């Protein structure tokens, strides 16, 4: 990640939220496409050295994305994102959760609602993600699982993809 790009990771346990604000060196439409198209998500949506594999994606209200983050030795960690609301190139809201390979949500892991907004910042795009959890304990659990580090690494991969797409 270029040092000049904004990255803020704020924890509010009282409100059971994480807020990630991240600047990207690319136009809003392109950054939006990278967040909403499975072929592009598969190229960046996992911390290094993991990769992403989409099993199903239907980007529409009521649709979902079922995918795995895969380790170099082939172990898959499955998740499901249900699309609750979509305002093209401005925002979307999702319900996110860990699943098994068939898409059944793991009730032992925290689920969260993600509100993701996209705004212009000169020639860059600012993406603000507010992640709402059910409890402060759920927030602590994902922090302990490495959420901040994983998010930073994942978003750096988006930086790298944007460089190749803009070239």
């Amino acid at each position: 990640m270029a040092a000049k790009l904004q990255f803020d990771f704020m924890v509010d346990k009282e409100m059971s939220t994480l807020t990630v604000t991240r600047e990207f060196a690319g136009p809003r439409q392109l950054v939006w496409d990278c967040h909403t198209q499975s072929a592009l998500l598969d190229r960046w949506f996992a911390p290094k050295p993991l990769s992403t594999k989409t099993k199903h994606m239907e980007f529409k209200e009521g649709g979902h994305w079922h995918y795995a983050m895969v380790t170099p030795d082939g172990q898959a960690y499955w998740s499901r994102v249900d699309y609750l609301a979509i305002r093209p190139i401005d925002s979307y809201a999702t319900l996110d959760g860990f699943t098994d390979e068939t898409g059944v949500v793991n009730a032992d892991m925290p689920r969260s609602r993600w509100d993701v907004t996209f705004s212009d910042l000169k020639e860059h795009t600012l993406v603000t993600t507010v992640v709402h959890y059910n409890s402060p304990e759920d927030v602590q659990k994902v922090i302990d699982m490495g959420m901040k580090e994983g998010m930073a690494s994942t978003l750096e991969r988006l930086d790298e993809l944007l460089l190749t797409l803009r070239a």
Side-chain angles (χ1 to χ4, degrees):
M1 176 177 74
K4 65 183 179 189
L5 297 178
Q6 178 182 348
F7 175 65
D8 297 312
F9 186 94
M10 296 170 287
V11 177
D12 185 340
K13 286 192 185 170
E14 191 172 293
M15 297 299 294
S16 300
T17 61
L18 300 175
T19 302
V20 180
T21 305
R22 182 64 155 72
E23 177 183 355
F24 295 98
R28 184 163 34 146
Q29 182 67 60
L30 182 58
V31 175
W32 170 267
D33 291 346
C34 288
H35 279 79
T36 61
Q37 297 176 15
S38 63
L40 293 171
L41 283 161
D42 282 353
R43 294 174 64 184
W44 72 271
F45 197 80
K48 290 180 181 179
L50 282 67
S51 61
T52 303
K53 175 178 75 172
T54 293
K55 186 169 187 176
H56 172 85
M57 183 170 189
E58 189 173 18
F59 184 72
K60 69 174 193 175
E61 290 181 9
H64 73 277
W65 178 36
H66 184 210
Y67 68 96
M69 290 186 187
V70 183
T71 64
D73 65 1
Q75 185 172 0
Y77 297 95
W78 291 93
S79 293
R80 178 181 169 125
V81 173
D82 291 284
Y83 296 104
L84 306 174
I86 298 171
R87 290 185 24 225
I89 84 163
D90 290 328
S91 66
Y92 63 85
T94 67
L95 185 60
D96 180 75
F98 293 97
T99 68
D100 64 14
E101 187 175 356
T102 68
V104 175
V105 174
N106 181 345
D108 295 330
M109 297 297 290
R111 288 200 84 187
S112 55
R113 177 187 164 112
W114 290 47
D115 293 316
V116 185
T117 59
F118 299 75
S119 55
D120 294 321
L121 189 65
K122 299 183 182 174
E123 69 277 359
H124 290 176
T125 301
L126 191 66
V127 178
T128 303
T129 305
V130 181
V131 187
H132 307 266
Y133 290 94
N134 291 325
S135 68
E137 294 77 22
D138 284 352
V139 172
Q140 189 61 53
K141 187 170 191 173
V142 297
I143 289 169
D144 292 346
M145 291 170 58
M147 178 72 149
K148 181 177 183 179
E149 299 79 10
M151 187 72 95
S153 176
T154 298
L155 297 177
E156 287 172 8
R157 292 183 83 173
L158 178 51
D159 286 329
E160 294 165 5
L161 178 58
L162 288 167
L163 282 174
T164 66
L165 295 174
R166 294 189 75 198

